Amino acid sequence: MYLERVLCRNFRNFKELMLDLNPNLNIFLGANGQGKTNFLESIYLMATANSHRSSISSEMINWQQNKSLVQLLLRRREGKIKLAMRLEKNNKQVEINDNPLDKVKELFGYLNAVLFSPEDLKLIKEGPSHRREFIDLEISQVSPYYNHLLSKYDHLLSQRNKLLKSIREGKSKNREMLPVWDEQLATIGTKIILKRIEVINKLKILARLSQRKITEGRENLELEYDTSLNHFSPKMGEAELRNLFIDSLISKRDQEISRGYTVIGPHRDDIILRVNEMNLRKYGSQGQQRTAALALKLAELEFMKSETGEYPVLLLDDVFSELDGLRRKALINIIADKIQTIITATDGENLSGLKNNSYNVYQVKKGRIKKRVN
Ligand SMILES: Nc1ncnc2c1ncn2[C@@H]1O[C@H](COP(=O)(O)OP(=O)(O)O)[C@@H](O)[C@H]1O
Ligand SMILES: [Mg+2]
């Protein structure tokens, strides 16, 4: 799939921007603070129904305005799709081919995009929430049903937490209500865990291949789903896992009431990354961690292709110049002429290896973007 056109009206520092993109490679050059990341954000927003920077719509609206519009013309195998998002201070409205959707989340599944930015090192180095977000966004993009499960789970979780708090504060005698919530949380939570494991099993093969390629066979990357449920085994089926989930909740009853929140479940799980059997987060070198971040992104591209039949759009924010020779080569090989790529950089110096096929170059300056004649 590829984007034919992007329109941003009063989005961040763009007043009125309309750009036609190259189906292959698009290079955006500009000094810091000019709008390069803003431009990528307007696209990623439509793939994930949210911004990677903030979930507050009002921050994306131009400071001098009170509403904003992002519109994309997307070309998929089935045909053209027009996606639009209208932002107001406390409201977000999305449209597909000019038809408003009931919920913003229904945007999932139209545009698939993979974003690789310097922030992605957090995926490796920081806490579990970054890895959960990674896997959840990845699956949501190809499976709107999974996103629906996540929303349902979040809702159940917050209701159950409210109940736990009220029991802790002695306000509620509703302790006998807990088993009902356990059942519901376990039903949905089990489906989420199983889907994550299924996807990680696919991703880990792809990520391992990428890591080996980038390091010329020296590093074996492994991914493992790490669940907060006691006595978990990856071979368990849905019914067995659901029972285990309920038993685990019961075994944590006193702890949960004294803390006032749910201490186990997919919202507490993690993905462990290892290189040559060593925990990457704890012991990996900066170089190994960077390589793994890239390997995961490359795996994401292939995973989405295998799920949807089409490569997603690849957004590279300021990362290319940081990559060394081998990592750069791995990236160029996968992009080739088959993935629409939108890349930002402060200068074009290191980008020559990319320009084997057709490409456009744009200059970004103070919220204006001009296509260069190349
Ligand atoms: N809501 C907004 N309205 C107007 N300008 C904004 C808004 N949000 C951010 N900006 C401006 O956008 C610029 C940052 O753009 P960004 O795309 O991050 O730069 P870069 O080109 O370095 O990636 C800053 O100068 C900031 O002042
Ligand atoms: Mg930037």
Side-chain angles (χ1 to χ4, degrees):
M1 69 182 68
Y2 63 91
L3 292 165
E4 290 188 339
R5 176 172 287 182
V6 178
L7 180 144
C8 293
R9 184 169 296 149
N10 301 324
F11 182 85
R12 297 264 186 203
N13 64 343
F14 305 121
K15 291 271 157 56
E16 181 78 36
L17 175 74
M18 181 146 83
L19 283 185
D20 289 325
L21 297 179
N22 189 302
N24 184 48
L25 174 64
N26 300 273
I27 301 172
F28 286 78
L29 302 175
N32 285 324
Q34 303 303 308
K36 301 185 300 298
T37 301
N38 293 346
F39 182 68
L40 296 185
E41 181 182 31
S42 72
I43 296 171
Y44 198 60
L45 177 69
M46 305 294 255
T48 59
N50 218 326
S51 162
H52 63 292
R53 289 176 156 176
S54 72
S55 47
I56 309 161
S57 318
S58 59
E59 288 179 12
M60 293 182 272
I61 302 171
N62 183 277
W63 294 320
Q64 277 134 31
Q65 304 292 329
N66 49 31
K67 56 184 182 184
S68 160
L69 168 71
V70 177
Q71 199 183 73
L72 306 180
L73 277 185
L74 174 68
R75 171 75 72 169
R76 292 191 63 132
R77 263 204 319 234
E78 312 87 77
K80 267 191 194 186
I81 308 173
K82 188 160 125 194
L83 307 173
M85 184 178 286
R86 294 174 196 281
L87 301 168
E88 288 178 35
K89 288 270 180 275
N90 298 307
N91 193 31
K92 236 190 229 171
Q93 170 73 56
V94 291
E95 293 166 13
I96 305 291
N97 295 332
D98 299 318
N99 298 312
L101 301 180
D102 287 338
K103 289 188 190 141
V104 176
K105 299 243 171 184
E106 289 172 25
L107 198 53
F108 273 116
Y110 291 95
L111 169 64
N112 295 144
V114 170
L115 170 69
F116 189 31
S117 80
E119 298 276 287
D120 283 315
L121 214 48
K122 285 186 183 164
L123 184 60
I124 312 290
K125 284 170 88 156
E126 295 191 4
S129 64
H130 294 278
R131 287 176 290 283
R132 287 195 298 267
E133 190 186 81
F134 165 78
I135 195 76
D136 286 346
L137 268 184
E138 162 122 11
I139 306 174
S140 293
Q141 283 200 51
V142 296
S143 162
Y145 173 68
Y146 178 78
N147 190 260
H148 165 76
L149 289 177
L150 286 178
S151 303
K152 217 163 161 180
Y153 184 83
D154 281 348
H155 178 73
L156 289 170
L157 187 65
S158 76
Q159 296 297 309
R160 188 173 184 276
N161 287 347
K162 261 187 213 155
L163 180 63
L164 287 166
K165 272 191 202 86
S166 75
I167 297 170
R168 177 181 66 178
E169 285 156 17
K171 282 185 200 151
S172 170
K173 295 180 194 76
N174 288 344
R175 204 180 156 126
E176 61 274 20
M177 285 292 290
L178 269 174
V180 182
W181 289 102
D182 290 359
E183 297 263 335
Q184 295 192 49
L185 197 74
T187 301
I188 306 295
T190 299
K191 291 184 196 297
I192 291 173
I193 293 173
L194 286 174
K195 185 71 189 175
R196 284 184 184 166
I197 291 173
E198 176 200 317
V199 169
I200 284 170
N201 284 339
K202 291 180 185 167
L203 268 184
K204 76 176 171 197
I205 298 169
L206 299 166
R208 186 184 160 93
L209 271 173
S210 295
Q211 185 96 4
R212 282 185 65 85
K213 250 186 221 153
I214 302 170
T215 61
E216 299 184 313
R218 285 190 304 274
E219 290 180 12
N220 288 308
L221 177 66
E222 261 172 78
L223 272 65
E224 187 194 332
Y225 192 69
D226 183 26
T227 164
S228 50
L229 305 184
N230 306 329
H231 312 299
F232 167 80
S233 145
K235 291 189 193 79
M236 286 177 170
E238 185 164 345
E240 207 180 345
L241 188 58
R242 185 176 174 277
N243 286 336
L244 179 75
F245 201 132
I246 293 171
D247 290 345
S248 302
L249 287 170
I250 293 169
S251 76
K252 302 277 183 191
R253 196 64 102 218
D254 293 340
Q255 192 187 343
E256 289 200 324
I257 289 171
S258 76
R259 294 195 186 178
Y261 59 82
T262 306
V263 300
I264 51 156
H267 65 293
R268 305 280 285 190
D269 292 353
D270 197 357
I271 301 167
I272 300 175
L273 297 153
R274 292 192 193 86
V275 160
N276 298 343
E277 282 159 34
M278 164 196 75
N279 187 307
L280 189 62
R281 181 181 169 205
K282 291 184 185 152
Y283 307 112
S285 70
Q286 180 93 346
Q288 288 172 320
Q289 292 179 339
R290 277 177 194 274
T291 300
L294 176 61
L296 282 177
K297 294 289 154 173
L298 298 181
E300 216 180 335
L301 289 170
E302 293 294 349
F303 168 75
M304 286 192 188
K305 164 88 194 305
S306 73
E307 295 294 300
T308 67
E310 288 188 88
Y311 275 110
V313 174
L314 176 62
L315 310 173
L316 298 174
D317 194 12
D318 238 342
V319 286
F320 201 74
S321 61
E322 310 248 311
L323 301 174
D324 64 15
L326 280 171
R327 294 189 200 126
R328 214 172 269 174
K329 219 168 93 191
L331 194 55
I332 291 170
N333 282 345
I334 187 174
I335 298 172
D337 57 352
K338 54 188 189 217
I339 300 181
Q340 187 185 39
T341 304
I342 304 173
I343 180 167
T344 73
T346 42
D347 59 66
E349 250 174 52
N350 297 309
L351 302 177
S352 52
L354 272 170
K355 299 176 182 169
N356 293 328
N357 299 288
S358 80
Y359 63 93
N360 293 356
V361 180
Y362 304 83
Q363 190 69 43
V364 186
K365 201 169 177 188
K366 291 186 184 159
R368 287 173 191 275
I369 303 185
K370 285 208 187 82
K371 184 170 174 253
R372 273 199 206 160
V373 191
N374 41 315

